[in-house]
């Protein structure tokens, strides 16, 4: 199983980011290296959230703002929509020969910030999650996205799929 691409919109400091991950057989590791405070940890969290939902976020998402951090409802919008899309593929080896299956997963949520006397209060609407298998004949929806993702990316291996260098320093 390998992640091939990701698109992140309005997730904390990441407003509109698209990444293509290495799929080269000889160079199959993607390293993201950048200065401090440029969004590396938010990228790590966005990918985890896309695949595993709030369980992958600090404190299981409790008091964790997903929407763009500098967004305020004074911009004329009372909600902010955050979306992470992940494309991945798996290679199967049936007797007839290797076959690659491609998938697309989309997780979206909206957050509302309400101006009150005590500041802003975040209220999050229900998330939507969609998973499709991509084929030449079209996209086939997969209804049980949790079971499918657990088969592809066991949640217990989250820290192996996505390594956060800052957190590794605390070992």
């Amino acid at each position: 199983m390998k992640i091939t691409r990701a698109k992140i919109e309005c997730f904390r400091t990441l407003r509109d980011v698209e990444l293509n991950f290495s799929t080269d057989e000889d160079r199959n590791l993607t390293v993201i290296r950048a200065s401090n405070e440029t969004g590396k940890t938010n990228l790590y969290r966005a990918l985890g959230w896309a695949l595993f939902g709030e369980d992958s976020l600090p404190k299981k998402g409790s008091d964790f703002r997903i929407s763009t951090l500098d967004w305020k409802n004074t911009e004329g919008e009372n909600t902010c929509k955050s979306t992470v899309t992940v494309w991945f593929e798996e290679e199967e080896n049936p007797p007839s020969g290797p076959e690659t299956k491609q998938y697309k997963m989309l997780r979206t949520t909206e957050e509302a910030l309400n101006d009150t006397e005590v500041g802003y209060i975040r209220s999050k609407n229900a998330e939507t999650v969609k998973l499709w298998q991509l084929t030449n004949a079209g996209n086939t929806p997969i209804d049980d996205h949790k079971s499918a993702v657990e088969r592809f990316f066991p949640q217990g291996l989250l820290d192996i799929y996505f390594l956060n260098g800052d957190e590794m320093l605390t070992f």
Side-chain angles (χ1 to χ4, degrees):
M1 184 60 54
K2 59 183 152 186
I3 296 175
T4 58
R5 212 169 96 193
K7 182 166 179 57
I8 302 159
E9 298 171 281
C10 297
F11 188 97
R12 299 182 63 78
T13 59
L14 307 173
R15 284 209 179 248
D16 189 13
V17 175
E18 190 161 344
L19 296 165
N20 292 304
F21 295 94
S22 176
T23 56
D24 185 289
E25 290 297 320
D26 297 324
R27 301 178 67 117
N28 55 12
L29 177 68
T30 299
V31 175
I32 297 173
R33 182 174 176 257
S35 301
N36 290 340
E37 304 296 320
T38 57
K40 298 179 304 294
T41 299
N42 287 328
L43 171 63
Y44 159 81
R45 288 186 174 141
L47 293 172
W49 176 70
L51 295 171
F52 303 110
E54 290 194 347
D55 286 345
S56 70
L57 299 175
K59 299 180 189 176
K60 302 223 180 269
S62 174
D63 295 326
F64 185 84
R65 183 172 168 179
I66 291 174
S67 62
T68 308
L69 294 177
D70 62 354
W71 172 77
K72 296 179 175 67
N73 67 358
T74 57
E75 295 175 4
E77 298 288 328
N78 64 353
T79 61
C80 182
K81 182 177 179 180
S82 300
T83 302
V84 180
T85 309
V86 178
W87 289 262
F88 55 94
E89 59 187 36
E90 70 174 332
E91 191 167 306
E92 294 183 339
N93 292 306
S96 59
E99 178 183 324
T100 301
K101 292 184 176 181
Q102 297 179 328
Y103 300 89
K104 175 182 174 181
M105 184 163 191
L106 169 73
R107 188 176 298 263
T108 302
T109 192
E110 288 188 6
E111 291 180 339
L113 297 177
N114 301 311
D115 193 9
T116 68
E117 292 179 13
V118 293
Y120 290 96
I121 297 173
R122 181 183 119 222
S123 62
K124 187 168 31 171
N125 297 333
E127 293 179 353
T128 59
V129 183
K130 296 180 181 178
L131 176 64
W132 299 271
Q133 181 177 352
L134 310 178
T135 67
N136 291 337
N139 300 339
T140 305
I142 299 174
D143 293 328
D144 186 5
H145 71 275
K146 285 186 179 184
S147 295
V149 168
E150 183 64 24
R151 182 173 68 92
F152 302 139
F153 301 101
Q155 187 166 357
L157 299 178
L158 173 65
D159 293 331
I160 293 173
Y161 292 119
F162 309 110
L163 299 175
N164 182 336
D166 291 338
E167 292 174 2
M168 289 178 61
L169 295 175
T170 62
F171 282 154

